């Protein structure tokens, strides 16, 4: 075990996993929020765009998106994000993880928005707030609580789904695990170590989620 | 009658196949208090909500103070600011304090400075008798108190006209009068009001006109006294017969 740690950059791989997760979580949150706003907007065309986005990315396997990015966009269409092969794969992984999970972030936010009674939006509009103001002042603050549980699930899934980036050669945790297994043979303790790493990364999120939803409770 | 503030011309609305508003023509003068009454499902709420475009309509026109209702967007928001609405279920903003509920519109829509908005809000809360609850959240208040806050929230926008959709029908009986008293006060001060209610006492005390709606049509209009004692149409007689025996 010690030897393996000495010969392979496991810490570096875990760091890659964390980078992938954090960057993709930011991307997914930004894109997901925008798509959620599209989906609740009063303009039918915008709603259509939002719905199409969600249906496309939620229903395509992440592995397919990953492979399509590097093999399809990068090699066939020549869409290189970075010169360096590894860097290019890393950033494509961030983009695909962001897009894929944005669909889930959008639906989490929307389910939160759906927990807010319709009367709240009507009251907001009837005092003259614009669509944007109603959303920012009345709807979103009340919808976060309902959105927390599904959001936390989405971020936990995202952290674990970073391992899919291994299929396009990103040297994150699953990638290095595959390499080690190939070279040294599999070992149960090794698998346990990697499983534990993911538990350590995801567990605090669950705890944070529970505390937040308690704190943000809106009394009705 | 004074110069009309709200004018509905040939307004038609459908929910799918259901023709909910049929050629509605209605003029409401400045300072007039109009009661909308009619059987359940006759379209009273829909008519009320159409006046500030919480519902769309297909044909006809609605003007408020000479201005036609815009389709959507900023212009509509501006117009809605001039039309107060009080809902059956209060709809106070659950995550904001009573004071914040009343100041939100003035600060965000009218761009009134916060201190000034709060001062005015406290005066309004005083007037509806809930000033001592200003720091609380809506869920901590009784239904009657919440509805009075909702009225204060509307008043804070200095609306030209106020719409009330069954403001007392979600309230326990002992709280109905505290809300009606506030509304009678408003009517006496010359507020233009459209009120959906079956409270005949209120209608007699505060209203100039009763508009009777059935199946999406205006069937009859009269003063409260005349309507309640001497309805003309069979629909109205039938309807009054039912509510009076209760
Ligand atoms: N959002 C909606 N979608 C479809 N149909 C609706 C909708 N809102 C109301 N309706 C229908 O339109 C008709 C008029 O409804 P409305 O709520 O205006 O009646 P109302 O006179 O206010 O009745 P009530 O006294 O029960 O409140 C009813 O038949 C109702 O079922
Ligand atoms: Mg109704």
């Amino acid at each position: 075990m010690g030897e393996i740690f000495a010969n392979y950059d496991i810490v570096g791989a875990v760091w890659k996993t964390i980078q992938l997760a954090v960057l993709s979580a930011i991307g997914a949150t930004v894109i997901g929020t925008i798509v959620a706003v599209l989906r609740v907007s009063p303009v039918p065309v915008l709603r259509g765009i939002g719905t199409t986005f969600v249906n496309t990315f939620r229903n395509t396997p992440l592995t397919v998106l990953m492979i399509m990015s590097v093999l399809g966009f990068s090699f066939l269409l020549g869409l290189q994000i970075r010169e360096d092969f590894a860097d290019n794969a890393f950033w494509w992984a961030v983009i695909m993880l962001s897009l894929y999970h944005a669909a889930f972030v959008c639906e989490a936010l929307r389910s939160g928005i759906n927990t807010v009674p319709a009367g709240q939006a009507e009251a907001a509009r009837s005092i003259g707030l614009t669509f944007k103001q109603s959303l920012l002042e009345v709807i979103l603050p009340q919808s976060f609580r309902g959105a927390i549980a599904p959001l936390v699930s989405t971020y936990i899934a995202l952290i674990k789904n970073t391992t899919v980036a291994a299929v396009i050669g990103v040297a994150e945790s699953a990638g290095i695990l595959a390499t080690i297994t190939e070279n040294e043979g599999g070992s149960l303790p090794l698998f346990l170590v990697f499983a534990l790493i993911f538990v350590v990364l995801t567990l605090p999120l669950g705890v944070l989620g529970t505390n937040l939803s308690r704190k943000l409770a809106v009394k009705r | 009658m004074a110069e009309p503030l709200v004018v509905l011309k040939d307004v038609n609305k459908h929910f799918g196949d259901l023709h909910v508003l049929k050629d509605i023509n209605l003029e409401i003068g400045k300072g007039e208090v109009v009661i909308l009454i009619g059987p359940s499902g006759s379209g009273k709420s829909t008519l009320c909500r159409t006046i500030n475009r919480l519902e769309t309509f297909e044909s006809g026109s609605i003007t408020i103070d000479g201005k036609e209702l815009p389709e959507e967007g900023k212009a509509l928001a501006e117009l809605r600011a001039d039309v107060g609405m009080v809902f059956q279920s209060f709809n106070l903003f659950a995550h904001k304090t009573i004071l914040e509920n009343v100041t939100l519109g003035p600060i965000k829509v009218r761009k009134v400075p916060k201190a000034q908005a709060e001062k005015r809000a406290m005066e309004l809360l005083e007037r509806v008798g809930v000033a001592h609850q200003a720091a609380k959240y809506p869920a901590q208040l009784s239904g009657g108190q919440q509805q009075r806050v909702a009225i204060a929230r509307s008043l804070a926008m200095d609306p030209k006209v106020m719409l009330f959709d069954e403001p007392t029908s979600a309230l326990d009986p002992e709280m109905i009068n505290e809300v009606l008293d506030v509304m009678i006060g408003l009517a006496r001060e010359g507020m233009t009001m459209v009120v959906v209610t079956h409270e005949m006492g209120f209608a007699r005390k505060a209203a100039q006109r009763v508009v009777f709606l059935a199946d999406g049509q205006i069937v009859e209009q009269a003063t409260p006294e005349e309507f309640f004692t001497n309805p003309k149409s069979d629909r109205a007689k039938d309807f009054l017969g039912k509510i009076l025996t209760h």
Side-chain angles (χ1 to χ4, degrees):
Chain A
M1 206 55 177
E3 207 173 302
I4 289 176
F5 270 86
N7 292 340
Y8 295 91
D9 188 8
I10 294 180
V11 174
V14 172
W15 177 230
K16 259 278 142 34
T17 296
I18 294 172
Q19 286 178 306
L20 271 181
V22 171
L23 290 171
S24 310
I26 294 170
T29 306
V30 172
I31 301 167
T33 307
I34 295 169
V35 179
V37 170
L38 292 182
R39 288 206 74 178
V40 299
S41 90
V43 186
V45 179
L46 297 183
R47 281 204 302 272
I49 293 173
T51 310
T52 309
F53 178 94
V54 170
N55 286 336
T56 308
F57 286 100
R58 197 170 53 170
N59 298 318
T60 313
L62 184 54
T63 317
V64 172
L65 288 175
M66 284 290 177
I67 294 174
M68 195 166 70
S69 71
V70 168
L71 291 186
F73 298 145
S74 251
F75 292 175
L76 295 179
L77 299 179
L79 285 171
Q80 295 273 6
I81 302 175
R82 289 289 157 86
E83 291 283 320
D84 182 61
F85 179 82
D87 270 3
N88 186 53
F90 175 82
W91 283 105
W92 270 117
V94 169
I95 291 174
M96 287 306 169
L97 283 165
S98 298
L99 289 173
Y100 178 78
H101 291 95
F104 293 89
V105 167
C106 163
E107 292 307 279
L109 289 176
R110 220 163 57 96
S111 74
I113 289 172
N114 287 340
T115 63
V116 182
Q120 295 284 308
E122 293 188 345
R125 282 188 284 157
S126 75
I127 57 168
L129 296 182
T130 59
F131 171 70
K132 189 174 144 202
Q133 287 173 325
S134 313
L135 214 53
L136 290 179
E137 297 291 332
V138 177
I139 310 303
L140 287 181
Q142 292 186 59
S143 60
F144 277 126
R145 182 176 184 240
I148 285 170
L151 273 179
V152 166
S153 303
T154 302
Y155 292 129
I156 289 176
L158 185 152
I159 292 174
K160 296 188 291 185
N161 286 343
T162 56
T163 54
V164 177
V167 302
I168 55 169
V170 178
E172 46 63 71
S173 307
I176 207 160
L177 177 62
T179 311
I180 298 171
T181 315
E182 222 172 277
N183 297 346
E184 321 277 338
S187 80
L188 210 51
L190 187 67
F191 292 137
L192 283 178
V193 167
F194 276 92
L196 197 67
I197 288 170
F198 278 93
V199 171
V200 169
L201 291 178
T202 52
L203 207 57
L205 266 180
V207 176
L208 185 77
T210 314
N211 287 342
L212 264 183
S213 43
R214 211 171 286 143
K215 219 166 165 181
L216 291 177
V218 181
K219 286 211 187 62
R220 297 207 186 278
Chain B
M1 199 168 87
E3 157 200 350
L5 183 65
V6 181
V7 180
L8 289 86
K9 273 203 194 101
D10 298 321
V11 172
N12 279 284
K13 172 171 182 66
H14 291 79
F15 280 123
D17 287 341
L18 188 70
H19 199 170
V20 245
L21 298 179
K22 297 173 187 161
D23 291 319
I24 299 290
N25 284 289
L26 186 63
E27 292 190 348
I28 296 155
K30 241 177 213 128
E32 201 184 3
V33 177
V34 172
I35 304 289
L36 286 181
I37 200 167
S40 178
S42 55
K44 308 179 294 290
S45 297
T46 308
L47 181 56
C48 229
R49 295 160 56 84
T50 306
I51 294 177
N52 70 351
R53 232 178 195 292
L54 284 177
E55 300 286 353
T56 55
F57 53 96
E58 289 99 39
S59 66
S61 75
I62 300 180
T63 56
I64 288 166
D65 211 4
K67 274 182 269 176
E68 185 133 358
L69 279 186
E71 287 275 322
E72 258 306 331
K74 267 219 150 63
L76 179 59
E78 268 163 38
L79 195 124
R80 278 197 187 121
D82 290 339
V83 181
M85 173 113 193
V86 175
F87 302 86
Q88 181 174 352
S89 48
F90 332 133
N91 295 345
L92 294 180
F93 306 129
H95 64 306
K96 292 194 180 287
T97 64
I98 298 309
L99 184 64
E100 289 166 345
N101 262 276
V102 182
T103 57
L104 182 67
I107 292 174
K108 293 290 166 186
V109 179
R110 302 271 193 235
K111 313 291 180 204
V112 175
K114 187 162 180 240
Q116 194 183 325
E118 285 182 348
K119 184 166 168 280
R120 175 83 203 290
M122 286 311 294
E123 287 165 12
L124 289 169
L125 289 173
E126 190 74 54
R127 165 170 177 189
V128 299
V130 282
H132 56 295
Q133 316 270 25
K136 289 191 179 166
Y137 284 88
Q140 296 171 289
L141 269 58
S142 74
Q145 291 170 330
Q146 287 191 53
Q147 194 60 300
R148 284 181 282 149
V149 174
I151 294 173
R153 176 174 69 180
S154 281
L155 285 175
M157 300 302 293
D158 294 317
K160 291 175 179 161
V161 49
M162 288 180 77
L163 313 171
F164 295 79
D165 189 2
E166 305 206 31
T168 57
S169 49
L171 297 176
D172 293 336
E174 75 270 19
M175 293 174 186
I176 290 178
N177 280 329
E178 65 193 41
V179 172
L180 290 180
D181 286 345
V182 170
M183 291 170 60
I184 291 170
L186 282 178
R188 298 243 157 93
E189 284 166 31
M191 176 61 76
T192 310
M193 295 160 68
V194 177
V195 187
V196 178
T197 184
H198 292 167
E199 295 289 338
M200 278 186 270
F202 171 78
R204 284 201 156 98
K205 256 186 235 157
Q208 282 87 55
R209 181 155 52 123
V210 171
V211 172
F212 176 71
L213 219 61
D215 293 329
Q217 274 174 314
I218 294 179
V219 176
E220 188 170 341
Q221 303 191 46
T223 63
E225 205 47 55
E226 194 177 306
F227 179 78
F228 291 123
T229 52
N230 188 21
K232 301 266 177 325
S233 62
D234 290 339
R235 292 296 310 253
K237 281 178 197 156
D238 182 50
F239 171 75
L240 286 174
K242 276 177 191 148
I243 63 166
L244 288 175
T245 53
H246 277 294

